[in-house]
Amino acid sequence: QAYADSDAESDSGSTELSYPSSTTSKANDEVSRSSSSEGCPSLTTKVLPLMKLVAMDIFAETSLSKDLGCCSSLTLTPVASAFDYLTGEYTRRVKDLLKPASLLYWLPTPSNYRHARERNVIRTFVTSTIAERRAAMLEEMEKVGSAAATE
């Protein structure tokens, strides 16, 4: 029963920005203490989700030269949502090492189904990115080869 509850809790189908509960509660406690005298505790809750969008776009642009479009839409795109979910999910699973459902990805639990779905989103994205790069490289090689043959 405890395994099913933890899986059900972690399987929210939302693409809204979320934070791991332990990190969020610590950060919220610190923010509440520091900003209660300033009177602006909601500023952090407004800025952190935007920073996550920026971080996702910067990561994709620098590592893959791809624009995920999080900043332009101000929402997590499906790929960014998958990265976000899997980051939190792997953190949760590492913390729950003694629970078999956390280690056995083939068990038919809601979180394992979602894990597989989100992992496939990322794999499809990476596979298509690699295919695009290979096609661009072949095209460039053909241009260089045809230019060298004409000289």
Side-chain angles (χ1 to χ4, degrees), residues 55-71:
M56 291 283 190
D57 275 349
I58 290 172
F59 168 75
E61 188 67 43
T62 56
S63 64
L64 303 169
S65 299
K66 291 287 239 181
D67 181 18
L68 293 181
C70 293
C71 290

Side-chain angles (χ1 to χ4, degrees), residues 46-111:
K46 291 179 182 179
V47 172
L48 286 177
L50 294 174
M51 294 304 293
K52 183 182 269 191
L53 296 174
V54 170
M56 291 283 190
D57 275 349
I58 290 172
F59 168 75
E61 188 67 43
T62 56
S63 64
L64 303 169
S65 299
K66 291 287 239 181
D67 181 18
L68 293 181
C70 293
C71 290
S72 59
S73 66
L74 293 180
T75 59
L76 287 174
T77 60
V79 172
S81 178
F83 274 114
D84 184 44
Y85 173 77
L86 289 175
T87 301
E89 183 66 4
Y90 286 128
T91 302
R92 181 191 68 81
R93 288 176 187 251
V94 166
K95 289 180 181 178
D96 294 337
L97 285 177
L98 298 177
K99 295 181 182 178
S102 294
L103 301 173
L104 306 173
Y105 291 90
W106 53 266
L107 285 175
T109 63
S111 64

Side-chain angles (χ1 to χ4, degrees), residues 130-149:
I130 291 170
E132 289 172 10
R133 297 284 162 75
R134 285 182 178 165
M137 284 176 42
L138 287 173
E139 186 178 307
E140 186 65 30
M141 289 172 62
E142 288 173 359
K143 285 181 184 178
V144 170
S146 66

Side-chain angles (χ1 to χ4, degrees), residues 2-42:
Y3 304 129
D5 291 343
S6 68
D7 286 339
E9 289 173 10
S10 69
D11 189 31
S12 65
S14 170
T15 60
E16 293 181 20
L17 300 176
S18 62
Y19 302 99
S21 59
S22 62
T23 306
T24 305
S25 63
K26 290 177 189 173
N28 287 342
D29 291 344
E30 291 175 20
V31 169
S32 296
R33 275 185 259 128
S34 66
S35 59
S36 61
S37 60
E38 299 167 17
C40 190
S42 65

